[in-house]
Each structure stands twice: as structure tokens, then as C-alpha cells.
Amino acid sequence: MDPITIGVGLTILVSASMAILIKQYRSSLKSADAEKEELLFILGRSLAEKEELLATLEQAERGYVEEDCDYNMRLKCQELLKCFCPNGVKEKFEEFETVEKRKLFVQELVDKVKQIMQVEITQVVICEMPMENRGGYVYNDEKNCIHKALFLNELYLIEDPERAIETVFHELKHGVQNEAIFEKDKWGYSAQRKAQWLNCMNNNYVRGNYSFEAYSLQAIEIDARLFGIAVINDHK
């Protein structure tokens, strides 16, 4: 990762609290294997525990087969990302001098992605969040009224744009999952896949702050994670 310089002469304008979060995040990435160090930082685990978790996740992901509708959706998303970022995501974000311009770009991208993925988003919120939270998706509000919102951590637009864009595709895939289950499945997922997703929803859903292992191994999280990674990795 090539982080944007935060300091004297900074062109990406950030708040004091954002600067502190960025400093904390960078201090956690001390080894050459930044991905593992980041997860160690978030989980507070030993390297052995982290390696065991990675092995478990990799085993679960290898058994998760992409369906035809996902294959077609992924190709369209990859093509769209190439149009928006022809020279790479990091390179594209370097063109923007302020956080606000980055937010506008992401908003425009989300508008196009949701059309391609045929998923509805009624609200996009880009704001400061804890470092361990890249974003989220909400289907129902507290009154059980349909409310489809995408949340993104502003910090990642500054420090790690590729992760931010990966999160866009990840969270919109959660939108696809929810609409396929609770509305009309216009994509054509198999009954088995929808059953796997339904088993992880509502009261059965395990949040990461309760058990990161259980959270990561849920079918809806494996599905969204692999989709987001596949789209962004094709563009690196």
C-alpha cells in the first residue's frame, strides 16, 4: 500500500480526529504483510491465532462456488471499474485534492454500480467511523420499514482507496442478498444459495464485535467478501 502523505503541505484535507485515526492505523502496519498485520491489530490476536483463522477462512472460501448470475454481475462490475479508474483506483483518487471530491466520485460510482447490480440503495452515508469498520449495509430500520442504506468509512477514502472501493462492491452484494431473499429474485440464484443466505440473516446473523470468526464464516459474508475482492483484484 502506498499511503497518501498526511502532514505539512497536505492537499487532502482531514479533521484532527481523522488524522489521529490515520496515525493509529499506520502504526499498526509494521510488517511487510500488511493485510495480516491489519487484522492482528483489529482482533488483538497472536500471529499463530491469526494464521489459524486465515486457514479456516481460506478453506471455507474454496468451497464457495460462484453461480452464473454472480459471474455475469462480476464481469460487468469489473468493466465498470475499468471505465471509472482506467489507470487504477489509487491513481484515480490521487486526482482529487479534497475529501469532498473523493466522496462525490464514490457517490457517482455507487449510482452506476447499483444499476449494474440491479440493487436499490435509498441512502449513501460517507462519514468517520472506527478504524476497524470499513462500512456497512442496512436493509431495515428500527421500525421494520424497508430502508436500504450503504455506509462507508471516510478514512479509507484517504488512506486506502482500494479497500474503500472493495467495500462498495461488498456492501452492495449484501443488498443483492437481502432483495433476493425478501423481495423478488431477479438474478436467478439457486434455492440452495438463498437458503444459505437466509440462515445467516435477521436474528441468526453474528456481528463481528461478538465473534469475528463466526462473522467471517457466515455464507453472506463469504459471498460478499469474495465478490468485492474479485472485482477489485481484477483491476490491480
Side-chain angles (χ1 to χ4, degrees):
M1 180 176 65
D2 298 319
I4 298 169
T5 301
I6 305 295
V8 179
L10 179 65
T11 57
I12 303 296
L13 305 179
V14 299
S15 67
S17 59
M18 282 280 280
I20 292 172
L21 284 172
I22 291 170
K23 183 177 180 181
Q24 291 175 340
Y25 173 66
R26 285 182 174 169
S27 68
S28 74
L29 306 181
K30 297 179 181 179
S31 78
D33 195 341
E35 181 77 20
K36 292 182 180 180
E37 279 295 318
E38 181 192 14
L39 197 49
L40 278 170
F41 172 69
I42 293 172
L43 295 177
R45 303 292 181 83
S46 69
L47 182 58
E49 289 174 322
K50 175 61 170 59
E51 293 290 353
E52 182 178 356
L53 172 58
L54 282 178
T56 302
L57 293 179
E58 289 170 2
Q59 184 179 29
E61 289 173 355
R62 282 196 298 270
Y64 204 81
V65 179
E66 183 180 57
E67 298 204 346
D68 289 343
C69 49
D70 276 333
Y71 173 77
N72 295 327
M73 185 190 301
R74 174 172 58 80
L75 291 184
K76 291 178 181 179
C77 288
Q78 290 170 340
E79 187 61 34
L80 176 68
L81 190 57
K82 288 177 182 178
C83 291
F84 267 74
C85 307
N87 298 315
V89 173
K90 290 188 292 185
E91 290 75 10
K92 184 64 180 180
F93 272 69
E94 287 171 358
E95 298 177 10
F96 306 117
E97 297 178 351
T98 66
V99 177
E100 289 306 313
K101 289 183 178 180
R102 294 184 175 210
K103 287 183 178 181
L104 289 173
F105 173 77
V106 172
Q107 290 271 7
E108 182 182 359
L109 177 63
V110 170
D111 286 341
K112 295 295 183 181
V113 174
K114 70 181 185 181
Q115 293 176 27
I116 285 180
M117 296 179 68
Q118 297 181 276
V119 65
E120 183 183 13
I121 294 293
T122 56
Q123 184 181 21
V124 178
V125 180
I126 305 175
C127 60
E128 285 188 38
M129 299 180 187
M131 187 59 232
E132 64 270 17
N133 189 353
R134 296 187 202 174
Y137 170 81
V138 173
Y139 184 76
N140 287 329
D141 64 17
E142 65 276 6
K143 296 180 181 179
N144 204 33
C145 298
I146 293 180
H147 174 70
K148 305 169 183 178
L150 170 66
F151 293 86
L152 295 172
N153 190 340
E154 182 178 330
L155 175 59
Y156 281 89
L157 272 63
I158 302 168
E159 183 67 9
D160 199 339
E162 288 186 345
R163 294 274 179 89
I165 298 306
E166 179 188 318
T167 301
V168 167
F169 291 101
H170 177 120
E171 299 303 340
L172 288 181
K173 193 57 162 63
H174 283 317
V176 170
Q177 295 164 353
N178 277 271
E179 290 186 26
I181 294 295
F182 300 114
E183 299 178 32
K184 181 181 179 181
D185 178 11
K186 53 192 153 188
W187 301 273
Y189 287 104
S190 67
Q192 180 183 13
R193 180 53 45 88
K194 287 186 284 189
Q196 290 173 336
W197 290 345
L198 182 59
N199 192 49
C200 308
M201 292 181 174
N202 295 333
N203 293 334
N204 292 328
Y205 184 73
V206 179
R207 299 189 179 280
N209 57 357
Y210 176 76
S211 170
F212 188 84
E213 292 91 335
Y215 158 81
S216 300
L217 290 169
Q218 294 174 108
I220 58 173
E221 292 302 335
I222 292 174
D223 177 75
R225 185 167 64 247
L226 291 180
F227 185 81
I229 290 173
V231 173
I232 197 72
N233 281 354
D234 177 72
H235 199 57
K236 289 184 178 180

PDB file of all heavy atoms in Angstrom, residues 163-183:
ATOM      1  N   ARG A 163      -9.400  -0.350  -0.732  1.00  0.00           N
ATOM      2  CA  ARG A 163     -10.260  -1.005   0.263  1.00  0.00           C
ATOM      3  C   ARG A 163     -11.644  -0.342   0.286  1.00  0.00           C
ATOM      4  O   ARG A 163     -12.656  -1.007   0.491  1.00  0.00           O
ATOM      5  CB  ARG A 163      -9.632  -0.923   1.648  1.00  0.00           C
ATOM      6  CG  ARG A 163      -8.335  -1.716   1.794  1.00  0.00           C
ATOM      7  CD  ARG A 163      -8.621  -3.173   2.145  1.00  0.00           C
ATOM      8  NE  ARG A 163      -7.381  -3.911   2.265  1.00  0.00           N
ATOM      9  CZ  ARG A 163      -6.687  -4.034   3.405  1.00  0.00           C
ATOM     10  NH1 ARG A 163      -7.147  -3.480   4.509  1.00  0.00           N
ATOM     11  NH2 ARG A 163      -5.566  -4.724   3.435  1.00  0.00           N
ATOM     12  N   ALA A 164     -11.669   0.977   0.107  1.00  0.00           N
ATOM     13  CA  ALA A 164     -12.947   1.690   0.099  1.00  0.00           C
ATOM     14  C   ALA A 164     -13.827   1.219  -1.054  1.00  0.00           C
ATOM     15  O   ALA A 164     -15.017   0.946  -0.881  1.00  0.00           O
ATOM     16  CB  ALA A 164     -12.708   3.195  -0.006  1.00  0.00           C
ATOM     17  N   ILE A 165     -13.221   1.087  -2.241  1.00  0.00           N
ATOM     18  CA  ILE A 165     -13.992   0.654  -3.407  1.00  0.00           C
ATOM     19  C   ILE A 165     -14.381  -0.815  -3.290  1.00  0.00           C
ATOM     20  O   ILE A 165     -15.489  -1.215  -3.667  1.00  0.00           O
ATOM     21  CB  ILE A 165     -13.191   0.901  -4.694  1.00  0.00           C
ATOM     22  CG1 ILE A 165     -12.911   2.398  -4.856  1.00  0.00           C
ATOM     23  CG2 ILE A 165     -13.951   0.376  -5.908  1.00  0.00           C
ATOM     24  CD1 ILE A 165     -14.137   3.278  -4.812  1.00  0.00           C
ATOM     25  N   GLU A 166     -13.490  -1.633  -2.744  1.00  0.00           N
ATOM     26  CA  GLU A 166     -13.834  -3.031  -2.489  1.00  0.00           C
ATOM     27  C   GLU A 166     -15.047  -3.119  -1.565  1.00  0.00           C
ATOM     28  O   GLU A 166     -15.937  -3.956  -1.760  1.00  0.00           O
ATOM     29  CB  GLU A 166     -12.648  -3.759  -1.857  1.00  0.00           C
ATOM     30  CG  GLU A 166     -12.904  -5.212  -1.520  1.00  0.00           C
ATOM     31  CD  GLU A 166     -11.770  -5.830  -0.724  1.00  0.00           C
ATOM     32  OE1 GLU A 166     -10.594  -5.570  -1.054  1.00  0.00           O
ATOM     33  OE2 GLU A 166     -12.056  -6.570   0.242  1.00  0.00           O
ATOM     34  N   THR A 167     -15.085  -2.226  -0.570  1.00  0.00           N
ATOM     35  CA  THR A 167     -16.198  -2.202   0.379  1.00  0.00           C
ATOM     36  C   THR A 167     -17.505  -1.836  -0.315  1.00  0.00           C
ATOM     37  O   THR A 167     -18.569  -2.363   0.041  1.00  0.00           O
ATOM     38  CB  THR A 167     -15.899  -1.217   1.521  1.00  0.00           C
ATOM     39  OG1 THR A 167     -14.694  -1.618   2.185  1.00  0.00           O
ATOM     40  CG2 THR A 167     -17.034  -1.183   2.535  1.00  0.00           C
ATOM     41  N   VAL A 168     -17.445  -0.951  -1.300  1.00  0.00           N
ATOM     42  CA  VAL A 168     -18.656  -0.596  -2.062  1.00  0.00           C
ATOM     43  C   VAL A 168     -19.276  -1.845  -2.669  1.00  0.00           C
ATOM     44  O   VAL A 168     -20.480  -2.107  -2.519  1.00  0.00           O
ATOM     45  CB  VAL A 168     -18.321   0.425  -3.168  1.00  0.00           C
ATOM     46  CG1 VAL A 168     -19.497   0.552  -4.149  1.00  0.00           C
ATOM     47  CG2 VAL A 168     -17.993   1.786  -2.572  1.00  0.00           C
ATOM     48  N   PHE A 169     -18.463  -2.640  -3.356  1.00  0.00           N
ATOM     49  CA  PHE A 169     -18.983  -3.848  -4.000  1.00  0.00           C
ATOM     50  C   PHE A 169     -19.412  -4.889  -2.960  1.00  0.00           C
ATOM     51  O   PHE A 169     -20.418  -5.586  -3.153  1.00  0.00           O
ATOM     52  CB  PHE A 169     -17.931  -4.423  -4.946  1.00  0.00           C
ATOM     53  CG  PHE A 169     -17.691  -3.567  -6.160  1.00  0.00           C
ATOM     54  CD1 PHE A 169     -16.598  -2.731  -6.239  1.00  0.00           C
ATOM     55  CD2 PHE A 169     -18.594  -3.589  -7.215  1.00  0.00           C
ATOM     56  CE1 PHE A 169     -16.391  -1.927  -7.358  1.00  0.00           C
ATOM     57  CE2 PHE A 169     -18.403  -2.800  -8.338  1.00  0.00           C
ATOM     58  CZ  PHE A 169     -17.297  -1.960  -8.409  1.00  0.00           C
ATOM     59  N   HIS A 170     -18.661  -4.995  -1.882  1.00  0.00           N
ATOM     60  CA  HIS A 170     -19.001  -5.937  -0.796  1.00  0.00           C
ATOM     61  C   HIS A 170     -20.375  -5.615  -0.220  1.00  0.00           C
ATOM     62  O   HIS A 170     -21.246  -6.498  -0.105  1.00  0.00           O
ATOM     63  CB  HIS A 170     -17.918  -5.842   0.288  1.00  0.00           C
ATOM     64  CG  HIS A 170     -18.175  -6.688   1.491  1.00  0.00           C
ATOM     65  ND1 HIS A 170     -17.309  -7.680   1.898  1.00  0.00           N
ATOM     66  CD2 HIS A 170     -19.178  -6.693   2.418  1.00  0.00           C
ATOM     67  CE1 HIS A 170     -17.776  -8.263   2.991  1.00  0.00           C
ATOM     68  NE2 HIS A 170     -18.909  -7.667   3.331  1.00  0.00           N
ATOM     69  N   GLU A 171     -20.572  -4.354   0.137  1.00  0.00           N
ATOM     70  CA  GLU A 171     -21.825  -3.982   0.812  1.00  0.00           C
ATOM     71  C   GLU A 171     -23.011  -4.003  -0.146  1.00  0.00           C
ATOM     72  O   GLU A 171     -24.128  -4.370   0.254  1.00  0.00           O
ATOM     73  CB  GLU A 171     -21.677  -2.600   1.459  1.00  0.00           C
ATOM     74  CG  GLU A 171     -20.591  -2.509   2.525  1.00  0.00           C
ATOM     75  CD  GLU A 171     -20.774  -3.499   3.666  1.00  0.00           C
ATOM     76  OE1 GLU A 171     -21.908  -3.998   3.867  1.00  0.00           O
ATOM     77  OE2 GLU A 171     -19.782  -3.776   4.368  1.00  0.00           O
ATOM     78  N   LEU A 172     -22.800  -3.634  -1.410  1.00  0.00           N
ATOM     79  CA  LEU A 172     -23.895  -3.720  -2.366  1.00  0.00           C
ATOM     80  C   LEU A 172     -24.280  -5.167  -2.639  1.00  0.00           C
ATOM     81  O   LEU A 172     -25.436  -5.458  -2.962  1.00  0.00           O
ATOM     82  CB  LEU A 172     -23.528  -3.004  -3.667  1.00  0.00           C
ATOM     83  CG  LEU A 172     -23.481  -1.471  -3.581  1.00  0.00           C
ATOM     84  CD1 LEU A 172     -23.134  -0.868  -4.931  1.00  0.00           C
ATOM     85  CD2 LEU A 172     -24.802  -0.901  -3.081  1.00  0.00           C
ATOM     86  N   LYS A 173     -23.323  -6.092  -2.487  1.00  0.00           N
ATOM     87  CA  LYS A 173     -23.650  -7.514  -2.620  1.00  0.00           C
ATOM     88  C   LYS A 173     -24.584  -7.946  -1.486  1.00  0.00           C
ATOM     89  O   LYS A 173     -25.456  -8.800  -1.681  1.00  0.00           O
ATOM     90  CB  LYS A 173     -22.384  -8.355  -2.613  1.00  0.00           C
ATOM     91  CG  LYS A 173     -22.605  -9.809  -3.061  1.00  0.00           C
ATOM     92  CD  LYS A 173     -23.231  -9.864  -4.449  1.00  0.00           C
ATOM     93  CE  LYS A 173     -23.078 -11.222  -5.106  1.00  0.00           C
ATOM     94  NZ  LYS A 173     -23.744 -12.300  -4.419  1.00  0.00           N
ATOM     95  N   HIS A 174     -24.409  -7.357  -0.314  1.00  0.00           N
ATOM     96  CA  HIS A 174     -25.359  -7.623   0.773  1.00  0.00           C
ATOM     97  C   HIS A 174     -26.760  -7.141   0.377  1.00  0.00           C
ATOM     98  O   HIS A 174     -27.769  -7.754   0.746  1.00  0.00           O
ATOM     99  CB  HIS A 174     -24.927  -6.929   2.057  1.00  0.00           C
ATOM    100  CG  HIS A 174     -23.803  -7.612   2.771  1.00  0.00           C
ATOM    101  ND1 HIS A 174     -23.752  -8.974   2.936  1.00  0.00           N
ATOM    102  CD2 HIS A 174     -22.684  -7.111   3.393  1.00  0.00           C
ATOM    103  CE1 HIS A 174     -22.656  -9.299   3.619  1.00  0.00           C
ATOM    104  NE2 HIS A 174     -22.000  -8.188   3.902  1.00  0.00           N
ATOM    105  N   GLY A 175     -26.817  -6.029  -0.364  1.00  0.00           N
ATOM    106  CA  GLY A 175     -28.098  -5.555  -0.853  1.00  0.00           C
ATOM    107  C   GLY A 175     -28.747  -6.559  -1.786  1.00  0.00           C
ATOM    108  O   GLY A 175     -29.951  -6.817  -1.703  1.00  0.00           O
ATOM    109  N   VAL A 176     -27.954  -7.134  -2.672  1.00  0.00           N
ATOM    110  CA  VAL A 176     -28.448  -8.162  -3.585  1.00  0.00           C
ATOM    111  C   VAL A 176     -28.992  -9.347  -2.790  1.00  0.00           C
ATOM    112  O   VAL A 176     -30.084  -9.872  -3.071  1.00  0.00           O
ATOM    113  CB  VAL A 176     -27.339  -8.625  -4.549  1.00  0.00           C
ATOM    114  CG1 VAL A 176     -27.773  -9.864  -5.334  1.00  0.00           C
ATOM    115  CG2 VAL A 176     -26.947  -7.498  -5.503  1.00  0.00           C
ATOM    116  N   GLN A 177     -28.251  -9.774  -1.791  1.00  0.00           N
ATOM    117  CA  GLN A 177     -28.664 -10.913  -0.973  1.00  0.00           C
ATOM    118  C   GLN A 177     -30.023 -10.665  -0.323  1.00  0.00           C
ATOM    119  O   GLN A 177     -30.918 -11.520  -0.367  1.00  0.00           O
ATOM    120  CB  GLN A 177     -27.615 -11.180   0.107  1.00  0.00           C
ATOM    121  CG  GLN A 177     -26.264 -11.614  -0.424  1.00  0.00           C
ATOM    122  CD  GLN A 177     -25.172 -11.475   0.629  1.00  0.00           C
ATOM    123  OE1 GLN A 177     -25.402 -10.936   1.713  1.00  0.00           O
ATOM    124  NE2 GLN A 177     -23.982 -11.960   0.308  1.00  0.00           N
ATOM    125  N   ASN A 178     -30.164  -9.503   0.295  1.00  0.00           N
ATOM    126  CA  ASN A 178     -31.404  -9.196   1.001  1.00  0.00           C
ATOM    127  C   ASN A 178     -32.590  -9.084   0.054  1.00  0.00           C
ATOM    128  O   ASN A 178     -33.681  -9.584   0.340  1.00  0.00           O
ATOM    129  CB  ASN A 178     -31.239  -7.895   1.797  1.00  0.00           C
ATOM    130  CG  ASN A 178     -30.577  -8.126   3.138  1.00  0.00           C
ATOM    131  OD1 ASN A 178     -31.233  -8.397   4.138  1.00  0.00           O
ATOM    132  ND2 ASN A 178     -29.261  -8.026   3.166  1.00  0.00           N
ATOM    133  N   GLU A 179     -32.392  -8.436  -1.079  1.00  0.00           N
ATOM    134  CA  GLU A 179     -33.500  -8.296  -2.020  1.00  0.00           C
ATOM    135  C   GLU A 179     -33.874  -9.640  -2.638  1.00  0.00           C
ATOM    136  O   GLU A 179     -35.059  -9.902  -2.907  1.00  0.00           O
ATOM    137  CB  GLU A 179     -33.143  -7.273  -3.095  1.00  0.00           C
ATOM    138  CG  GLU A 179     -33.089  -5.843  -2.552  1.00  0.00           C
ATOM    139  CD  GLU A 179     -32.871  -4.811  -3.642  1.00  0.00           C
ATOM    140  OE1 GLU A 179     -33.248  -5.079  -4.806  1.00  0.00           O
ATOM    141  OE2 GLU A 179     -32.329  -3.735  -3.336  1.00  0.00           O
ATOM    142  N   ALA A 180     -32.876 -10.500  -2.875  1.00  0.00           N
ATOM    143  CA  ALA A 180     -33.154 -11.832  -3.436  1.00  0.00           C
ATOM    144  C   ALA A 180     -33.960 -12.688  -2.460  1.00  0.00           C
ATOM    145  O   ALA A 180     -34.774 -13.516  -2.868  1.00  0.00           O
ATOM    146  CB  ALA A 180     -31.844 -12.537  -3.800  1.00  0.00           C
ATOM    147  N   ILE A 181     -33.740 -12.467  -1.156  1.00  0.00           N
ATOM    148  CA  ILE A 181     -34.436 -13.257  -0.132  1.00  0.00           C
ATOM    149  C   ILE A 181     -35.815 -12.677   0.190  1.00  0.00           C
ATOM    150  O   ILE A 181     -36.821 -13.382   0.205  1.00  0.00           O
ATOM    151  CB  ILE A 181     -33.595 -13.327   1.159  1.00  0.00           C
ATOM    152  CG1 ILE A 181     -32.306 -14.119   0.924  1.00  0.00           C
ATOM    153  CG2 ILE A 181     -34.408 -13.953   2.292  1.00  0.00           C
ATOM    154  CD1 ILE A 181     -32.509 -15.573   0.595  1.00  0.00           C
ATOM    155  N   PHE A 182     -35.869 -11.374   0.455  1.00  0.00           N
ATOM    156  CA  PHE A 182     -37.084 -10.768   0.996  1.00  0.00           C
ATOM    157  C   PHE A 182     -37.955 -10.072  -0.051  1.00  0.00           C
ATOM    158  O   PHE A 182     -39.071  -9.659   0.259  1.00  0.00           O
ATOM    159  CB  PHE A 182     -36.715  -9.774   2.099  1.00  0.00           C
ATOM    160  CG  PHE A 182     -35.978 -10.410   3.241  1.00  0.00           C
ATOM    161  CD1 PHE A 182     -34.657 -10.091   3.505  1.00  0.00           C
ATOM    162  CD2 PHE A 182     -36.598 -11.358   4.045  1.00  0.00           C
ATOM    163  CE1 PHE A 182     -33.968 -10.691   4.558  1.00  0.00           C
ATOM    164  CE2 PHE A 182     -35.926 -11.964   5.097  1.00  0.00           C
ATOM    165  CZ  PHE A 182     -34.606 -11.627   5.359  1.00  0.00           C
ATOM    166  N   GLU A 183     -37.435  -9.943  -1.266  1.00  0.00           N
ATOM    167  CA  GLU A 183     -38.229  -9.346  -2.333  1.00  0.00           C
ATOM    168  C   GLU A 183     -38.273 -10.324  -3.507  1.00  0.00           C
ATOM    169  O   GLU A 183     -38.556 -11.492  -3.311  1.00  0.00           O
ATOM    170  CB  GLU A 183     -37.640  -7.984  -2.708  1.00  0.00           C
ATOM    171  CG  GLU A 183     -37.641  -6.994  -1.546  1.00  0.00           C
ATOM    172  CD  GLU A 183     -37.028  -5.655  -1.885  1.00  0.00           C
ATOM    173  OE1 GLU A 183     -37.124  -5.219  -3.049  1.00  0.00           O
ATOM    174  OE2 GLU A 183     -36.411  -5.039  -0.977  1.00  0.00           O
TER     175      GLU A 183
END
